[in-house]
Amino acid sequence: ERGIYAERMNANMVNNNFVNGDIVGIRSRNTQARTNTIAYSQFSAVATGVHLSENTNNSYQIMNNQFSDMTFGINAETANVSITLNSFTNLHAGVRARNLYPTINPFVIDVWENNFQGSAHGVYAFNTGANVQYNTLNDVHKKGVGIYYTRGNIVNVNYNYIQNYNPNTSIGVDIFNVYNNAINVNNNNLLNGEYGVLLQNLPFMSGANTINIEDNIIKEYEYGIYQSEHNLTNIKSNNLEDNAIGITLKGGKGSSVLENDIIGVATAQYIGIDVEMSEDNTFECNDIHYMEYCVYFRQTANKNTLLNNTFGDADYGVTLDNAIIGAQGTPTLANDNRWTGN
């Protein structure tokens, strides 16, 4: 039950309209070694708009299409695909990508300049690299961008606007169980949910991933940036405003938290940076204001360094809760943290 079915052939499909039915609008499988195009078409109230699979020798360009009221807008399985300038409205997931053979063919999907409105998930990818950049996602009910189980690939989630619908359960960017990847989550604008950026279940070994979280604006989340069990993450130059907890490090070691602006609400019981059972981290040149606790250490081991931070308009600057963080500075060299207006 398909509108168009293409197998073992080159295909350029333009200006089609697929409406109403438990069908796949376009199904393409094992097409030939060239670039194929799906463009300027409308997909409405079908099961899946476009389903690609086992296109191992070619690439697809899917651009300027409209997808609405269905389960998956684009379902790409083991397929190189570039997805640009499409609109996705009221779907379970706008783009779903997964690699069925990750150890044989390490694919990367490109998702650029698309508009997502009112869907449960914007983009989620399994076992594949991803460049998700310059997209607008409004009223996301669950997860804006999710990257899962990726091995040995690059992941870029940059320059996106993500506005979550449910402040209690939704996530802006979710990265789970990835290994040996270069991961960049930079220059995004994230608004309103439970987690702004969530990193969890990452391999607990030095150098397994290189993760940069830089220059993001993250507002009105329960947790702005939450990292669990990972080493050597760079969290730099983010603006975190009105989040219950700005940055969380739970487990892991050797991360750098540098030059972040973390601003709360004077009347709320907020935490700027929350550190639990994590060691050998550097917290430098952060500006933290309007919190109950600026930095809170819990059961934390030695060698955490606080250097040149500013804590202002808060109840507590640095709190040690069953934690030993080590000596800060020396008798001849101060760490130059500043407490203002506490």
Side-chain angles (χ1 to χ4, degrees):
E1 295 184 347
R2 310 168 183 97
I4 296 175
Y5 180 73
E7 183 173 3
R8 299 180 185 276
M9 61 180 293
N10 297 320
N12 292 309
M13 291 164 272
V14 180
N15 290 323
N16 297 287
N17 193 358
F18 304 89
V19 181
N20 294 331
D22 189 19
I23 66 168
V24 176
I26 295 176
R27 175 75 165 91
S28 178
R29 180 176 180 272
N30 199 14
T31 52
Q32 300 300 308
R34 58 165 288 181
T35 299
N36 300 272
T37 302
I38 299 172
Y40 298 102
S41 297
Q42 295 186 8
F43 304 81
S44 179
V46 296
T48 298
V50 175
H51 183 186
L52 310 175
S53 66
E54 298 183 54
N55 295 309
T56 58
N57 297 316
N58 72 339
S59 63
Y60 255 99
Q61 291 183 350
I62 304 178
M63 57 187 184
N64 295 105
N65 302 284
Q66 297 178 16
F67 301 87
S68 62
D69 303 300
M70 65 188 71
T71 302
F72 300 115
I74 298 170
N75 185 13
E77 297 179 323
T78 317
N80 288 309
V81 58
S82 173
I83 300 167
T84 58
L85 298 171
N86 302 281
S87 68
F88 302 87
T89 306
N90 297 330
L91 312 179
H92 174 70
V95 176
R96 175 181 183 262
R98 62 175 180 161
N99 188 357
L100 303 179
Y101 314 106
T103 60
I104 301 173
N105 296 300
F107 292 108
V108 177
I109 64 164
D110 293 314
V111 184
W112 289 63
E113 298 183 88
N114 301 279
N115 189 291
F116 300 81
Q117 180 72 39
S119 298
H121 303 271
V123 179
Y124 64 97
F126 299 84
N127 287 326
T128 181
N131 293 309
V132 182
Q133 304 191 91
Y134 297 99
N135 301 282
T136 299
L137 301 94
N138 283 301
D139 293 332
V140 178
H141 290 246
K142 292 184 178 180
K143 298 174 183 178
V145 177
I147 308 293
Y148 310 107
Y149 303 103
T150 297
R151 300 291 185 267
N153 240 317
I154 190 166
V155 174
N156 290 311
V157 182
N158 300 330
Y159 296 99
N160 302 286
Y161 173 85
I162 302 175
Q163 185 261 322
N164 292 106
Y165 175 80
N166 191 332
N168 297 317
T169 60
S170 56
I171 301 171
V173 178
D174 184 19
I175 298 176
F176 177 84
N177 198 3
V178 299
Y179 176 72
N180 198 27
N181 301 283
I183 299 171
N184 298 298
V185 181
N186 300 334
N187 296 103
N188 300 285
N189 193 332
L190 311 177
L191 178 65
N192 188 36
E194 184 177 11
Y195 295 93
V197 178
L198 175 60
L199 310 172
Q200 58 178 332
N201 201 31
L202 307 179
F204 187 72
M205 59 186 70
S206 178
N209 296 297
T210 300
I211 299 181
N212 298 303
I213 305 173
E214 299 186 9
D215 296 299
N216 300 285
I217 298 172
I218 303 173
K219 294 183 178 182
E220 299 176 15
Y221 286 89
E222 185 70 20
Y223 301 92
I225 298 170
Y226 188 102
Q227 173 188 288
S228 176
E229 302 293 346
H230 188 262
N231 300 338
L232 305 175
T233 299
N234 299 309
I235 302 173
K236 183 179 179 182
S237 299
N238 299 284
N239 185 315
L240 298 113
E241 185 175 342
D242 198 13
N243 305 288
I245 302 177
I247 297 171
T248 301
L249 301 182
K250 186 173 183 179
K253 63 181 180 179
S255 291
S256 297
V257 181
L258 309 175
E259 302 174 12
N260 300 282
D261 290 329
I262 307 175
I263 302 171
V265 177
T267 57
Q269 295 181 336
Y270 286 176
I271 300 174
I273 298 173
D274 193 12
V275 185
E276 182 177 354
M277 294 187 293
S278 185
E279 64 179 15
D280 203 21
N281 305 295
T282 299
F283 305 91
E284 184 174 356
C285 294
N286 299 287
D287 198 338
I288 306 174
H289 287 269
Y290 300 110
M291 299 285 173
E292 183 176 19
Y293 300 95
C294 289
V295 183
Y296 198 113
F297 290 99
R298 311 167 190 268
Q299 303 179 53
T300 302
N302 218 333
K303 299 181 182 179
N304 282 284
T305 301
L306 292 160
L307 182 65
N308 292 319
N309 300 284
T310 299
F311 311 124
D313 304 293
D315 291 339
Y316 304 95
V318 178
T319 301
L320 306 181
D321 184 354
N322 194 27
I324 300 173
I325 64 172
Q328 303 296 306
T330 69
T332 59
L333 181 64
N335 275 18
D336 286 334
N337 298 291
R338 294 171 296 280
W339 283 259
T340 63
N342 292 63

